[in-house]
Amino acid sequence: MRKPYIAGNWKMNLTPSEGAKLAAELKDQLKGVDVKVMIAPSFVTLPAVVEAVKGSNIIVAAQNVSDKESGAYTGEVSCQMLKDLGVNDVIIGHSERRSYYGENDEWINRKVKYALSQGMNIDLCVGETLDERKGGHLKEVLSRQIKVGLSDVSAKDMERITIAYEPVWAIGTGMTATSDDADDAHAYIRGLIESLYGKTVAENTIIQYGGSVKASNAKELLARKNIDGALVGGASLSADKFVPIVRCALE
Ligand code: PGA
């Protein structure tokens, strides 16, 4: 059985004090709720959020990480720095990193491998643009992102990988994939994982959906066989919006 996993990607929002306030609200309102929950603040907001969620099961993740150990890499943040803060989870390959900051599949794979070697858990994002979908390239794009993104990752390491399927055209646009379209893409991704790692790994891998998830559509999406959770952007920025999404995963 795959346990539902709801994650909030705060992106470049919420100062340390704002983040600490929201994290404390989430800690309070999610007490006793049996859903795996993660929140991903900006790097500078991480310490305040780690402190605020202490004593809860809320996982705190970074939104990105370097593929290097240390050294002259201005502006980068390493796994070691995150782990020193108590942060053991990281989102890698978000479409905004791919499109605005030029991260390609090979680079993403280097980050995945390095973060795994440092014992971290990874939420690896994949998804097609509108042009790619319209052009009939959905499967080709997902296949490349999964195969290259996970290249040299062992079956054992897959226990520490979550996949987030986020169609780029649905991110922050209010457009959600229909639950049929999303479930089809998730089934395709699960099939790719099966071809790489076998049935047991494929059946155990959590695949989240992301792209304009809100309380009003979460229930329908999460009810689908292959949709095991959500990666939420905009609606993760307030407890009023995020907590009801987490609760949808209980039903
Ligand atoms: P959104 O973002 O929920 O605002 O569409 C999702 C994401 O990019 O992770």
Side-chain angles (χ1 to χ4, degrees):
M1 264 306 282
R2 299 186 293 270
K3 190 177 161 99
Y5 185 14
I6 308 294
N9 173 11
W10 293 359
K11 307 191 180 182
M12 199 174 74
N13 296 292
L14 304 181
T15 61
S17 47
E18 290 165 344
K21 183 167 171 286
L22 173 55
E25 288 167 6
L26 295 176
K27 177 181 170 181
D28 184 46
Q29 294 179 32
L30 293 173
K31 204 172 280 169
V33 176
D34 188 25
V35 175
K36 185 174 173 185
V37 175
M38 174 260 262
I39 48 180
S42 72
F43 288 127
V44 292
T45 296
L46 279 171
V49 169
V50 166
E51 197 51 41
V53 301
K54 269 196 182 135
S56 77
N57 291 327
I58 297 173
I59 297 164
V60 180
Q63 299 171 14
N64 182 28
V65 73
S66 171
D67 61 336
K68 303 287 195 300
E69 183 177 340
S70 63
Y73 302 104
T74 303
E76 290 291 285
V77 169
S78 71
C79 291
Q80 288 76 4
M81 292 167 183
L82 294 174
K83 288 178 58 178
D84 190 62
L85 274 183
V87 171
N88 295 304
D89 290 67
V90 62
I91 296 171
I92 294 181
H94 190 278
S95 65
E96 287 148 18
R97 299 295 322 165
R98 294 176 189 261
S99 64
Y100 302 145
Y101 302 100
E103 292 188 16
N104 60 20
D105 291 307
E106 288 73 20
W107 190 3
I108 288 163
N109 176 244
R110 287 199 300 277
K111 293 185 182 212
V112 166
K113 285 188 295 193
Y114 188 66
L116 283 171
S117 78
Q118 299 308 302
M120 297 193 73
N121 306 306
I122 293 162
D123 206 338
L124 172 65
C125 301
V126 297
E128 82 289 2
T129 63
L130 191 56
D131 282 349
E132 287 165 342
R133 176 173 276 261
K134 280 186 173 158
H137 303 303
L138 172 67
K139 291 186 172 172
E140 177 191 323
V141 170
L142 292 180
S143 173
R144 189 196 67 233
Q145 291 176 337
I146 291 284
K147 286 183 180 155
V148 181
L150 294 177
S151 97
D152 296 325
V153 170
S154 70
K156 179 78 188 137
D157 281 341
M158 285 300 288
E159 289 170 10
R160 289 188 284 129
I161 303 253
T162 296
I163 305 290
Y165 168 63
E166 301 202 304
V168 178
W169 47 273
I171 296 179
T173 58
M175 284 199 297
T176 325
T178 65
S179 58
D180 281 342
D181 285 344
D183 198 49
D184 285 350
H186 283 228
Y188 181 69
I189 292 168
R190 205 175 297 288
L192 289 169
I193 294 171
E194 183 172 341
S195 71
L196 296 169
Y197 299 103
K199 209 171 176 59
T200 308
V201 171
E203 278 175 0
N204 290 336
T205 300
I206 299 287
I207 308 179
Q208 299 169 322
Y209 172 79
S212 299
V213 173
K214 34 192 185 291
S216 59
N217 59 26
K219 200 188 260 181
E220 185 185 341
L221 288 160
L222 292 169
R224 301 309 295 255
K225 185 162 157 264
N226 282 295
I227 303 180
D228 311 313
L231 180 54
V232 184
S236 71
L237 297 174
S238 78
D240 285 358
K241 291 191 175 139
F242 190 59
V243 171
I245 297 175
V246 175
R247 290 192 174 278
C248 286
L250 283 172
E251 294 161 21

